[in-house]
Each structure stands twice: as C-alpha cells, then as structure tokens.
Amino acid sequence: MTFKTIIEPFRIKTVEPIRHTTRAEREAALAVAGYNLFLLRAEDVLIDLLTDSGTGAMSSAQWAGMMQGDESYAGARSFYRFEAAVQEITGLKHVIPTHQGRAAERILFGTAVNAGDIVPNNTHFDTTRANIEARGAVALDIPCDECRHPQLEAPFKGNIDLAALERVLAENPGKVPLAMITVTNNSGGGQPVSLANIRAASAICRRHSVPFYLDACRFAENSWFIKLREEGYADKTPLAIAQEMFSYVDGCTMSAKKDGMANIGGFLALNDDSLARGCKNLLILTEGFPTYGGLAGYDLEAIAVGLKEALDEDYLRYRIRSVAYLGDICQANGIPHVRPTGGHALYLDAKALLPHIPWNEYPAWALSLVLYLEGGVRSVPIDSVMFGRQPDGSEKPAALELLRLAFPRRVYTQSHVDYLAEVLVLAKQLAPRIRGVKIVEEPPVLRHFTSRFAPVAGQLVVGE
Ligand SMILES: Cc1ncc(COP(=O)(O)O)c(C=O)c1O
C-alpha cells in the first residue's frame, strides 16, 4: 500500500511559539516599518517566508555536532571535518570558509574581478550582482528564454542561454574573469538547471579558457530536480548527481544558510592554487584565518553535518513536494505563479494578478503588504524595487514582478501551508481593490532592504 501523503521526514523536538496579531495591530506595524516588511519586528509575523536563508531548523545531529566544535584559532578539527564534507560533494581542492555567501562572493570577486570586466550568469542574485558592480564590473544575466515566461511549464527554466554565453566569451576575450551558473536560479523563480546545460556551459568556458563557477546555494535541490526530470538520472543518488555537477566547474561560492542547512556560514571552493592564495590573503584581512573564516568551530560542525542531510532523499522528496503542494492549490484557484514551482519557494506573478498597478507603483511590493495585513504572512518581492534602480541612477522595470514565498527548511508543517493557501485565496479575491505604493525614502544600494514606502491611495486595499 503506497500512501499519498508525503509526511515531514522528522519529528519535532523543540518548538518556538508564534503569535497571532489583529489586522489593526498589523496595520499599525506596517506604518511604523515604512511599509517595508524587512523593517518589521519578527515577533509581529505569524508565517515568515521572507527567506529560506539561515531560517531553517537544525537537526539533533547538527546540534550534537556543535558540542564537538573545536574553537582552536588555527587548524581546528572542525575545519577538517568541514573541509572533508565539502570536498566529498564538490571534489574541489581549496575550501575557504566565510561567514556567509556574500562574503565568499566579495572575496572571490575582490581577487579575480577588475573594473570593466564582465561576469555572465543565468541570473545573478542581488548580492552577487552588487559585489560585481562594486568592482566596477558588469553582472550580465543571460537566462534561457523559458525563464522569461512565468507560466510556461518547462523542466529546466534555470538554464543559461548557451548561445549568448558563447557570444559574450567570443566578443570579449580577456575581459571575462569567470562565468557562473546559479543553482537553482533563485532570482529566476527558483528554477533548476539541467546537467546537460552545466556540461555544455563548461565546455564553452573551457574552449575560451574562462574559469567556470557555480553559485551553489541550492545544489541539493537542483540535484533532486535532475533526478526527477533529466533523462538517465532517475536511479542516481542526489550525492552522485551533485558530484557530477561540480565535476564540470573550477569553483563555487556557497551560502551554507540554504542547502548547508545551517543558520550561518558559507564557503568559497576552487582548484586554482594562485587564485586560492590571493583569496586566503583577502580573507585574513576581513574574515579571519583560513581554517575558520569568520565562523566558530561549532558552525563548521553544523555545516559538515547539514551538507549531508541536505542530500537525503526522504528530505528532498518532502522539501520539493511541500512547495509543489501550495502550487497545486494556487493552480486550482487561478492564482498566477511561476510554473513549475521552484525548489525552495513559490513565486506569485504579481504583474498577472494585479495588471491595474503600473510597474513603478510596484505591484509585487503592494501584494506582499496585503498578505501581511490580511494574514500575518511575510514574503519578499523579486521585482522592480529590487532590480529597477540602474548603476547610472535611472530606473527601469524588472523583467518580472514576482513575489517570493520562501520556505525555511524543516520549519512549517502542512497546516501552516493550508492556512497560507487561505490567505492567498483571499488576496486573489481582493486583487481588484489593491492599490500600489511609492518610495518615500531610498538608500544608495540594495534599496529593497531599507527603503520606506507609502500607499499611493492612502491605503493598500480600497473600497468595500
Ligand atoms: C543564489 C544566492 N546567491 C548568494 C546569496 C547570498 O548568500 P548570503 O545571504 O549567505 O550572503 C543568496 C542569498 O539568498 C542566494 O540566494
């Protein structure tokens, strides 16, 4: 007898209470936070889907590992356990711990990227783009065409555009210090990248002697999609698939706050000896000695265990299914979202849901505020607020106006998701009455984190 219910492959050992608030309390909290959900107090949020980054629940094995943490300044046992776990999966020679993913990006680009250079990627995440632009270089997004069509059902919408990659490398000899692919493609709807695409991109880079890197934050989820959807991989383990993925690259940046199942941490791993030397020197300057890189020994232990747990088949089956479950409910209720559902998040298509709100009144941002106002749910817009402001100060619409509901790992149960579905159905009913927002205060970079907003119509939901 095969049961249809996919249960959480764990039982709860420790709980953290969450608090219900009233609509009036949430309205007041929004005004205090300048209509920016990043500026809310977490205790005022019921279901927090702002990010899957560092918000997961660690396992009893990870907590046990933390008690083993060796806090020696240099050459700690914990570093060698961490290094071995990373090398078992990536096969990469030099493993450099960092406090999180953007630190690995800053160390790599601070050593390898110069002004005027071009770094192609399927879609750069916001910190990756900001760290490249901080070097005076160009962060070039060349996603496959399918990625631009939110509702198109296709298996690997995270793929890079291979013809565009070939063109960029051929037309800019000596100006591309490295090329990247982000797995899964977070800013492009959490969509997976096929092994065939990674293999082909690697061959193109090799032909042009350009180092090829993965932004590997969600490598385990990407491996599961390859197992489910790519010819010839159904019988392979997620570990074997991950090992093949990394066999095509020269290095990777990684935030262990995703598929490292940890609350903090990251790493840079690469094969190039002289580049590794340069990176370690920069690391010592700003992060710490290369055997800890800004992390405690117990953090390194938690990551070493977490990387293995992220590749567990029961966990990955439940993980990917729990997002698809919410996607199915949205599909049944005509709530437009990126199809197929991503690995770590559901991405609502705010442009399709709120066609009456122009891009520069930020439909995805307005929708995020309504989900909080009505249901206490926090999410993050991947939209014209995040990507609209150009390096020259002008503003242009983002390719997509998406609202991401990112699922922390091993935190929420199916009943939380059922509640969430009710909130989304209500937002769909309210859609014609939802109005946009305007920016009233904006910082120079990464504006989505700290800008303050105001409803253009004085309130988010007008009329009765
Ligand atoms: C694809 C991707 N790359 C890099 C990062 C940056 O990682 P961190 O937040 O650990 O600095 C993130 C964070 O969400 C991400 O999703």
Side-chain angles (χ1 to χ4, degrees):
M1 170 72 189
T2 48
F3 299 102
K4 80 172 173 33
T5 308
I6 294 182
I7 62 168
E8 289 85 356
F10 50 80
R11 58 184 179 199
I12 297 172
K13 186 186 236 7
T14 302
V15 294
E16 181 184 5
I18 52 177
R19 192 170 67 90
H20 285 274
T21 53
T22 64
R23 191 177 188 280
E25 284 172 329
R26 294 191 294 271
E27 196 145 31
L30 280 178
V32 171
Y35 295 91
N36 184 339
L37 300 182
F38 281 102
L39 305 178
L40 276 178
R41 287 170 170 262
E43 64 199 19
D44 293 334
V45 176
L46 185 65
I47 307 258
D48 201 344
L49 307 177
L50 186 71
T51 181
D52 63 321
S53 182
T55 52
M58 293 216 290
S59 69
S60 46
Q62 285 179 287
W63 285 106
M66 290 181 77
M67 286 313 294
Q68 307 254 2
D70 172 1
E71 303 308 338
S72 308
Y73 184 87
R77 279 190 318 279
S78 301
F79 170 75
Y80 295 105
R81 273 199 272 271
F82 164 81
E83 183 188 47
V86 173
Q87 286 175 331
E88 186 201 354
I89 296 168
T90 67
L92 293 164
K93 184 174 177 188
H94 301 281
V95 177
I96 303 174
T98 58
H99 80 271
Q100 64 180 96
R102 66 201 65 184
E105 294 165 349
R106 195 182 60 71
I107 298 282
L108 174 63
F109 304 144
T111 313
V113 175
N114 296 306
D117 282 349
I118 301 168
V119 180
N121 201 340
N122 46 355
T123 310
H124 288 282
F125 180 68
D126 63 354
T127 59
T128 321
R129 167 174 294 283
N131 274 299
I132 290 167
E133 289 174 355
R135 300 290 301 163
V138 174
L140 180 67
D141 290 346
I142 45 174
C144 63
D145 186 55
E146 291 90 338
C147 177
R148 303 176 200 285
H149 309 283
Q151 264 101 51
L152 174 71
E153 296 274 0
F156 291 106
K157 293 169 71 172
N159 285 357
I160 198 166
D161 179 336
L162 295 169
L165 178 62
E166 177 78 53
R167 230 182 357 266
V168 172
L169 300 192
E171 291 168 5
N172 300 283
K175 287 187 63 184
V176 183
L178 66 136
M180 301 183 83
I181 284 187
T182 302
V183 293
T184 56
N185 185 350
N186 183 11
S187 303
Q191 299 295 310
V193 180
S194 69
L195 255 174
N197 191 252
I198 293 171
R199 194 182 304 120
S202 173
I204 292 171
C205 290
R206 297 234 185 299
R207 242 193 347 271
H208 292 273
S209 310
V210 168
F212 180 44
Y213 279 66
L214 286 182
D215 175 338
C217 288
R218 299 176 182 84
F219 75 93
E221 291 168 4
N222 201 71
S223 301
W224 187 253
F225 281 116
I226 289 170
K227 184 178 173 71
L228 293 185
R229 297 180 185 172
E230 191 157 356
E231 183 88 24
Y233 289 93
D235 303 327
K236 296 261 174 37
T237 64
L239 173 61
I241 294 172
Q243 288 168 333
E244 184 180 342
M245 258 191 333
F246 284 103
S247 72
Y248 297 118
V249 304
D250 304 290
C252 74
T253 58
M254 170 73 184
S255 171
K257 297 169 70 173
K258 289 80 168 163
D259 283 356
M261 313 289 263
N263 301 127
I264 196 67
F267 61 84
L268 168 63
L270 66 167
N271 287 332
D272 184 307
D273 295 338
S274 70
L275 188 53
R277 251 192 317 278
C279 290
K280 287 177 186 173
N281 285 333
L282 188 53
L283 185 92
I284 291 171
L285 204 56
T286 58
E287 298 278 311
F289 192 73
T291 57
Y292 76 89
L295 293 173
Y298 51 71
D299 295 322
L300 296 169
E301 296 282 351
I303 298 169
V305 176
L307 286 168
K308 289 202 175 67
E309 292 183 348
L311 288 165
D312 174 79
E313 296 210 11
D314 287 339
Y315 161 73
L316 284 168
R317 184 176 300 106
Y318 135 81
R319 170 78 176 155
I320 305 299
R321 179 67 203 135
S322 49
V323 181
Y325 172 82
L326 182 61
D328 295 347
I329 297 173
C330 287
Q331 199 70 347
N333 288 279
I335 301 170
H337 58 287
V338 173
R339 298 284 310 166
T341 47
H344 66 286
L346 181 100
Y347 294 71
L348 297 175
D349 182 348
K351 200 190 279 182
L353 188 65
L354 304 170
H356 56 285
I357 300 183
W359 71 268
N360 52 6
E361 291 183 9
Y362 313 112
W365 201 275
L367 183 59
S368 74
L369 299 172
V370 170
L371 296 188
Y372 176 72
L373 178 63
E374 301 301 341
V377 173
R378 180 157 65 170
S379 53
V380 67
I382 309 253
D383 67 340
S384 294
V385 173
M386 185 181 275
F387 294 121
R389 182 67 71 201
Q390 304 306 302
D392 65 4
S394 66
E395 193 172 2
K396 69 174 190 171
L400 302 167
E401 303 290 349
L402 301 178
L403 179 58
R404 186 189 72 176
L405 293 97
F407 284 56
R409 292 168 180 77
R410 309 188 287 200
V411 169
Y412 293 117
T413 64
Q414 188 163 327
S415 64
H416 291 115
V417 178
D418 289 337
Y419 168 84
L420 177 60
E422 288 185 60
V423 176
L424 297 184
V425 170
L426 172 61
K428 168 95 190 310
Q429 287 156 0
L430 292 173
R433 293 169 45 207
I434 297 175
R435 296 292 176 269
V437 294
K438 60 181 179 227
I439 299 178
V440 293
E441 221 179 282
E442 177 178 333
V445 293
L446 295 172
R447 65 178 181 176
H448 52 289
F449 285 129
T450 52
S451 286
R452 300 181 73 83
F453 297 75
V456 290
Q459 53 187 26
L460 296 167
V461 183
V462 298
E464 277 314 309

